[in-house]
Amino acid sequence: MSPIVDNARLDGLEKIGLWLSLFWAALYGFRHYRRRTQRKSTLPSLTSSIRPTSTDLFKSPTTRITLQNFHLRYHSTAWNALHQSSTARLAKRTEWRFVLQSVYDMGSLLGVLGMLGSVALLLWTTIQLSSSLYSRPSHFEDASQSQVFSKRDALIEEANINSIGGGRRSPALQLIIPGLTTPLHHLPLLLVALLTTQVIHECGHAVAAALDSVPLTLAGLGFTVILPSAFVAFPSDETETLPLRARIRLISAGAFHNLMFWLALGFASWLGTSHFVWATLGYHDISPYGRVVVGVDQDSPLYGHLPPGSVIYRVGDILLASQDGAQAQWEAIMSTESAQPTPSLGWCADEAWFLEQDTSCCSTSRHSPGSSCFTAPGTSTLERCVDPLRFLQPANGENARRCEAATECGHAQVCIHPRGDQELVSLTIHMPTWLRASDTDTERTIVWQGDKAEILDEVDVGDWQPSYEWLPMGLPFVWDTLYSYLKMLTVSLYFFNLLPLPFLDGGQLFDTLSEKWDARGRQVTENLPMRRLEEGADAPPATGTQVQRGDRGRGTLRRGIVHMVVCALLVLCTGLSLWNTYF
């Protein structure tokens, strides 16, 4: 079984790959040039013939930028002075230090609960994904060729695209894959949100370290292939000698910051701050009745036919205005994972005219440009190729009569509907004053044939329409999209970092708690020799050393088993997610 990917997404991925290749080529070219200039500027020596291995792109007394194995790393000690001064202030204000330590102690408790919750969530998602392999239908059982068109003068294109996972329940966790699970052009916003949440995470570790007078060694940023990262470092001898309470507080502070940031974003949404800001800046909210077009993918057939600033307020026969809001109605109609809406009405057509039409597009092997297969209810063989714009966008404003059956039409007429596999969708849009070609150009009808989910991928819609032409059209959409990614990624980072894996905070938290539990057993056994000295020859043999080694070995084995099981679950969950996404 092979993945079904459309050409537009492939073109987008090729462009991203090209720009990334140029970016890394330029960096490695600069590093090579820097190595050559450094080699020429040094005096000859016995080792001058050895190939230089320096990974530095830039180096100063406080800052260093290195490049190695497609990993760009910036780290600096310039933040150490600020961290040291903050530590000194907290040491003087003992009441503030006690309050903050109590708050971060609550974060330690939330960290332990989050570690347990992350494992439970990972296990539940793996079970869901595994069960979906046996319950979902094959991708190709109902595959049908489809055409995409917008206007009479638009290019008619064919696509063999099915919706991914249509009709099955979504798992608790989903991979974020630009171009598949999220629009490809959202990639820059995703990277900005990812870096922001990681910086907030590392700030949590820095604050917790300042509360216990642990100095900051360095802080920096990283960029691996395409993924950004942030990090802080502390002296290992300082962190390993911390009391248990302080050490757990330091480990869990990063995840605690992510959780608090998520709560702050949710509280700001609850207050409706964005509504106040955009209304003040000159935008008006159209979410109760429609969706404003913010942008259209340049590779989409809809490009040039859905002008940015227009408002989609009707899809087929369904108005977007509803009790749940236009956004919920829009996503429910356009998403192939939702239940199909009630069948739309057909159109009355002259039976003689209908019988004269071609039948080529109704065949599975041939397609007629600009036509769709229509059928008359109640008949099994009466199928003809009809231009859907004749009914969905009639000339001279003469709308055809709508019907459910032929009995509702006139004499010698039939009631025709698009065949079920044609997936015709009409979008009725309202044009703002600055986009109208004439005074009567207030509404337009755009016709789409194909997978409705593609419209969600290729068309960006929002809630806010500018009151004036000169206002930035996409500003509210960009901010709202970034805001949603910040909320999604910060809570995702909270759970992911608390997984008990060696390279994550959750692994350090689990190992610390496990070592403390094992240390309690060792303290008991270490007291056995002293008791034997006090009780004399009648005391039982001292076996404290043997028990201590056994406890340490069992603790190490237990931690290793937990790490391996969680790692296996993570690999299995990721593989199942990729399988369900691509196949």
Side-chain angles (χ1 to χ4, degrees):
M1 187 178 296
S2 59
I4 303 177
V5 184
D6 61 301
N7 293 331
R9 287 173 179 169
L10 287 177
D11 291 341
L13 291 174
E14 289 177 357
K15 291 179 182 178
I16 292 177
L18 176 61
W19 282 107
L20 281 176
S21 301
L22 293 175
F23 172 76
W24 287 109
L27 287 178
Y28 275 95
F30 176 74
R31 192 185 72 172
H32 177 72
Y33 170 77
R34 193 172 185 274
R35 284 178 175 179
R36 291 190 60 183
T37 54
Q38 287 180 344
R39 184 171 56 183
K40 291 180 179 180
S41 62
T42 57
L43 294 175
S45 63
L46 295 176
T47 59
S48 60
S49 61
I50 299 177
R51 183 179 180 180
T53 59
S54 174
T55 61
D56 293 340
L57 290 180
F58 175 81
K59 189 175 182 180
S60 71
T62 60
T63 303
R64 186 181 179 187
I65 302 177
T66 61
L67 176 65
Q68 186 177 15
N69 299 329
F70 294 98
H71 176 68
L72 183 65
R73 177 184 172 99
Y74 157 83
H75 57 87
S76 175
T77 59
W79 301 97
N80 295 7
L82 176 61
H83 187 267
Q84 185 176 2
S85 62
S86 301
T87 303
R89 292 191 187 98
L90 288 173
K92 294 179 180 178
R93 301 181 179 181
T94 56
E95 66 282 358
W96 281 102
R97 183 178 181 181
F98 175 77
V99 171
L100 288 176
Q101 285 180 340
S102 301
V103 171
Y104 281 83
D105 283 338
M106 181 181 67
S108 300
L109 177 60
L110 293 175
V112 175
L113 295 177
M115 180 179 63
L116 298 175
S118 64
V119 174
L121 190 61
L122 179 63
L123 179 61
W124 174 246
T125 304
T126 304
I127 294 174
Q128 279 188 305
L129 291 171
S130 300
S131 62
S132 67
L133 293 179
Y134 301 97
S135 60
R136 67 184 180 129
S138 174
H139 232 341
F140 300 95
E141 289 180 0
D142 58 350
S144 58
Q145 292 183 336
S146 59
Q147 298 174 351
V148 177
F149 61 94
S150 178
K151 291 278 188 176
R152 291 183 183 273
D153 56 348
L155 177 64
I156 308 298
E157 298 186 2
E158 295 182 357
N160 294 319
I161 306 169
N162 276 343
S163 61
I164 298 175
R168 67 179 185 273
R169 187 172 51 183
S170 298
L173 296 177
Q174 290 183 338
L175 292 179
I176 302 174
I177 307 176
L180 288 176
T181 58
T182 59
L184 187 61
H185 56 276
H186 287 185
L187 180 60
L189 297 178
L190 268 172
L191 297 180
V192 171
L194 179 61
L195 181 59
T196 302
T197 54
Q198 290 189 78
V199 169
I200 292 172
H201 179 95
E202 299 303 328
C203 286
H205 293 306
V207 173
L211 292 175
D212 293 291
S213 302
V214 178
L216 178 67
T217 303
L218 56 87
L221 303 174
F223 189 76
T224 306
V225 183
I226 194 173
L227 296 178
S229 60
F231 60 90
V232 291
F234 308 101
S236 59
D237 55 343
E238 295 273 355
T239 58
E240 292 177 358
T241 57
L242 284 174
L244 176 65
R245 181 178 173 184
R247 190 174 181 183
I248 294 178
R249 188 165 53 223
L250 176 61
I251 294 172
S252 58
F256 179 58
H257 266 217
N258 286 128
L259 183 61
M260 291 299 101
F261 183 56
W262 178 73
L263 292 175
L265 293 175
F267 183 69
S269 299
W270 180 76
L271 291 178
T273 53
S274 62
H275 189 280
F276 172 77
V277 170
W278 298 124
T280 303
L281 293 177
Y283 295 83
H284 58 275
D285 186 13
I286 54 93
S287 60
Y289 61 89
R291 307 294 290 158
V292 61
V293 178
V294 178
V296 182
D297 192 340
Q298 293 185 0
D299 297 324
S300 172
L302 290 171
Y303 184 76
H305 302 289
L306 273 180
S310 59
V311 178
I312 304 173
Y313 71 92
R314 184 193 296 270
V315 179
D317 298 324
I318 304 175
L319 291 173
L320 295 184
S322 65
Q323 294 181 350
D324 297 331
Q327 179 179 0
Q329 183 81 319
W330 166 261
E331 293 177 352
I333 296 173
M334 305 308 295
S335 175
T336 55
E337 295 185 358
S338 63
Q340 293 294 332
T342 56
S344 60
L345 298 174
W347 294 269
C348 293
D350 293 334
E351 184 176 5
W353 170 84
F354 185 65
L355 293 174
E356 293 175 355
Q357 305 307 307
D358 192 13
T359 61
S360 58
C361 71
C362 296
S363 172
T364 57
S365 59
R366 295 184 59 190
H367 295 275
S368 178
S371 298
S372 299
C373 187
F374 278 67
T375 182
T379 62
S380 58
T381 57
L382 191 56
E383 295 180 345
R384 295 293 187 273
C385 298
V386 176
D387 185 355
L389 295 181
R390 177 185 179 92
F391 302 104
L392 295 173
Q393 194 179 20
N396 303 323
E398 298 179 359
N399 294 323
R401 185 176 179 179
R402 305 303 300 272
C403 60
E404 291 184 0
T407 55
E408 300 178 8
C409 299
H411 178 66
Q413 286 188 327
V414 290
C415 184
I416 62 175
H417 295 253
R419 199 172 64 183
D421 59 352
Q422 299 300 292
E423 293 187 295
L424 275 176
V425 179
S426 64
L427 306 177
T428 306
I429 61 176
H430 175 77
M431 305 295 292
T433 55
W434 64 82
L435 290 176
R436 297 175 185 174
S438 61
D439 294 338
T440 59
D441 186 24
T442 59
E443 290 187 359
R444 296 180 187 176
T445 301
I446 311 298
V447 181
W448 171 275
Q449 182 180 4
D451 189 357
K452 294 180 296 183
E454 294 178 54
I455 301 179
L456 290 177
D457 293 337
E458 299 173 359
V459 180
D460 290 329
V461 293
D463 296 331
W464 297 92
Q465 185 184 43
S467 302
Y468 308 100
E469 183 180 3
W470 50 269
L471 287 175
M473 178 66 62
L475 184 59
F477 173 80
V478 170
W479 170 251
D480 290 344
T481 304
L482 178 61
Y483 194 86
S484 64
Y485 282 140
L486 284 173
K487 289 200 299 183
M488 177 178 62
L489 289 176
T490 191
V491 71
S492 300
L493 198 61
Y494 168 76
F495 284 108
F496 179 75
N497 259 289
L498 288 176
L499 285 173
L501 294 173
F503 51 87
L504 298 176
D505 294 341
Q508 298 182 39
L509 180 60
F510 176 77
D511 291 348
T512 301
L513 294 174
S514 179
E515 290 172 0
K516 179 60 179 178
W517 179 266
D518 295 339
R520 293 180 60 184
R522 288 197 298 270
Q523 290 174 3
V524 174
T525 58
E526 286 169 358
N527 290 330
L528 289 176
M530 182 60 67
R531 183 164 63 90
R532 188 170 188 271
L533 289 175
E534 293 175 353
E535 296 180 1
D538 295 334
T543 57
T545 304
Q546 296 177 359
V547 175
Q548 180 180 354
R549 291 178 180 176
D551 287 346
R552 181 183 294 114
R554 285 193 296 269
T556 303
L557 178 62
R558 180 175 61 251
R559 290 191 292 271
I561 292 175
V562 171
H563 293 327
M564 287 189 294
V565 169
V566 175
C567 184
L569 279 176
L570 182 61
V571 172
L572 179 60
C573 183
T574 303
L576 290 173
S577 297
L578 290 173
W579 179 272
N580 286 351
T581 300
Y582 280 97
F583 296 93

